[in-house]
Amino acid sequence: MSYAFPPGGLPDQSQNPESTAIFTQAYAVIPAVTQRDIVTSFLPGWQNARVWVLARPLSGFAETFSYYAVELDEEGGSAEPEPDRDAQAVIFLAKGQARLTLGHDTFDLIPGSYVYLPPSAVWTMYNIHEDPCQFHWIRKRFRPSPGLKVPDALITHESEVEKASMPGCNGTWATQRFFDPFDLSYDFHVNIVNFEPGARIPFAETHVMEHGLYVLQGTAEYLLNTDWVSVGPGDFIWMRAFCPQACIATGTEPFRYLLYKDVNRHMPL
Ligand code: UGY
Ligand code: MN
């Protein structure tokens, strides 16, 4: 199994810079082809590391999360990775290997490893190989709610999580749910959504939840608001609340994406 990640580099001078990137009031598409070296940033507290910030809370747009794609060079990592005590996170490792410490425990992460870090978790993370380590890091401020506990940390691998078929789809559209969907202590989900070629979201979902969506594998035609957009590996889609959305998987391989969604809380008034 391989998982797409920003390609970096810089196209040569013969390239036509006409872009497939889109930014509208309802959604944004940040294609893999635009995720190059010169749009990265460094992060305080991290060494030998660079980050593509693909989403961040933006007034008048999606407001609940940030989405980082992080690359660690040899010996890259952090002993103080998260400056915000209210931040919780999901980490999904795409390439390479990393060592995570959480409290007194140590875990070796490989491609497909999935980690949930609750707010105030004490953790460190380092590349333990000479090749780069690449991971997705989705951060959200935890919203406590009376009677609900703070979720426990979770460390798993996507191969450990069943693909649950959507109703009536016979497995052609299936979701890997890493958190118990009936446990309201979670205020967000990050799932992997899977489509066989030709499978689809058969109506234009229009919901209050925001999405960050990173295509891990395969291709599709994606409906965003009133536009059909072709997407493929490494493309990032960012959806504001109520952006109508649907898709039809194209090509010959499964279409898979990592999907952030805020859930399980009253609306602040
Ligand atoms: O759960 C969801 O909102 C999901 N079906 N949306 C999506 O894949 N765009
Ligand atoms: Mn949706």
Side-chain angles (χ1 to χ4, degrees):
M1 188 68 70
S2 69
Y3 309 102
F5 198 78
L10 185 68
D12 66 47
Q13 291 284 306
S14 70
Q15 297 300 306
N16 179 352
E18 191 179 339
S19 170
T20 52
I22 307 171
F23 199 97
T24 74
Q25 288 187 332
Y27 71 90
V29 179
I30 305 176
V33 74
T34 67
Q35 300 163 17
R36 299 299 188 167
D37 288 348
I38 59 173
V39 299
T40 58
S41 177
F42 302 122
L43 284 178
W46 287 79
Q47 296 84 45
N48 297 355
R50 62 177 183 165
V51 56
W52 285 268
V53 178
L54 296 173
R56 66 148 168 109
L58 202 56
S59 52
F61 201 72
E63 294 173 337
T64 61
F65 69 105
S66 75
Y67 195 114
Y68 296 165
V70 183
E71 185 170 77
L72 303 178
D73 282 336
E74 193 173 1
E75 296 180 3
S78 179
E80 290 178 72
E82 174 56 78
D84 184 341
R85 291 182 62 78
D86 295 330
Q88 55 187 338
V90 162
I91 284 176
F92 182 77
L93 202 116
K95 285 197 183 88
Q97 296 172 37
R99 183 155 296 154
L100 175 87
T101 66
L102 181 58
H104 297 296
D105 299 320
T106 300
F107 304 90
D108 284 347
L109 308 182
I110 59 171
S113 290
Y114 180 108
V115 180
Y116 168 70
L117 297 162
S120 300
V122 178
W123 59 286
T124 69
M125 187 162 160
Y126 284 94
N127 183 3
I128 51 170
H129 205 268
E130 66 246 25
D131 295 331
C133 167
Q134 300 173 328
F135 65 95
H136 300 261
W137 180 11
I138 299 149
R139 299 166 63 238
K140 180 185 186 300
R141 175 172 295 154
F142 181 65
R143 287 187 56 203
S145 195
L148 294 176
K149 65 181 180 60
V150 174
D152 295 328
L154 169 77
I155 292 142
T156 186
H157 189 275
E158 67 121 335
S159 61
E160 305 287 317
V161 178
E162 67 152 349
K163 295 186 172 83
S165 181
M166 300 299 281
C169 293
N170 204 19
T172 57
W173 173 22
T175 304
Q176 287 163 277
R177 297 193 173 91
F178 292 83
F179 304 160
D180 175 355
F182 299 105
D183 182 346
L184 298 193
S185 60
Y186 296 102
D187 66 4
F188 76 120
H189 292 157
V190 174
N191 294 327
I192 296 179
V193 186
N194 301 267
F195 298 87
E196 294 299 323
R200 63 194 57 201
I201 297 178
F203 75 108
E205 290 181 16
T206 307
H207 52 63
V208 70
M209 304 84 164
E210 301 174 347
H211 282 318
L213 184 166
Y214 193 94
V215 179
L216 298 171
Q217 184 191 358
T219 58
E221 293 297 311
Y222 222 102
L223 175 68
L224 295 163
N225 202 4
T226 54
D227 308 322
W228 283 96
V229 178
S230 301
V231 294
D235 292 347
F236 180 76
I237 305 175
W238 186 10
M239 281 177 250
R240 185 181 173 170
F242 299 109
C243 175
Q245 63 205 255
C247 68
I248 303 174
T250 52
T252 53
E253 57 180 315
F255 175 54
R256 309 185 73 207
Y257 52 79
L258 198 60
L259 184 73
Y260 163 90
K261 180 176 186 175
D262 53 310
V263 292
N264 296 341
R265 290 297 183 270
H266 283 288
M267 301 299 120
L269 299 175

